Amino acid sequence: MSVIDDSPLVGATVKVVKNGKMKASALTNSMGYFSIPGLPADDYHVVAENKKYGTLTIESVPVRVGNEVSTHFILTPTYAIQ
C-alpha cells in the first residue's frame, strides 16, 4: 500500500477505521509505503492524512484472512484561499 503525489509521500498518517473507531494506524516510509498487519477479516475505511495534502478516505476496503490488500492513495496539495 502506498501514498503518493507526484512522488512518494513520506510521513503521511494512514488509519484503518471500523464503525467510526480507529483500529490501527501507520506512517508511510521513504517510499510512501505502509503496512498494517494483523487486522481481522472485515471491511474497513482506510484514511490517508497529511497537513499539506489534506485527507483522503477509501471506503469498504475488504481485508480477508491470508490475503494481502493493496491500496494506493494519490493526494494533491491543499491550498488555503485568502
Side-chain angles (χ1 to χ4, degrees):
M1 298 185 194
S2 64
V3 178
I4 61 171
D5 59 1
D6 288 332
S7 59
L9 189 55
V10 178
T13 302
V14 179
K15 298 176 183 177
V16 176
V17 179
K18 180 68 180 175
N19 296 326
K21 296 181 181 179
M22 186 175 67
K23 298 298 183 180
S25 67
L27 293 176
T28 57
N29 65 18
S30 62
M31 298 299 294
Y33 290 102
F34 63 96
S35 176
I36 301 176
L39 289 172
D42 210 333
D43 290 348
Y44 297 92
H45 293 340
V46 182
V47 181
E49 299 177 316
N50 179 278
K51 280 186 178 183
K52 180 179 175 184
Y53 291 83
T55 302
L56 179 64
T57 301
I58 298 177
E59 297 183 4
S60 298
V61 176
V63 173
R64 303 294 172 249
V65 173
N67 290 337
E68 181 175 299
V69 176
S70 293
T71 301
H72 301 281
F73 292 87
I74 300 176
L75 299 177
T76 56
T78 56
Y79 298 97
I81 299 174
Q82 299 182 358

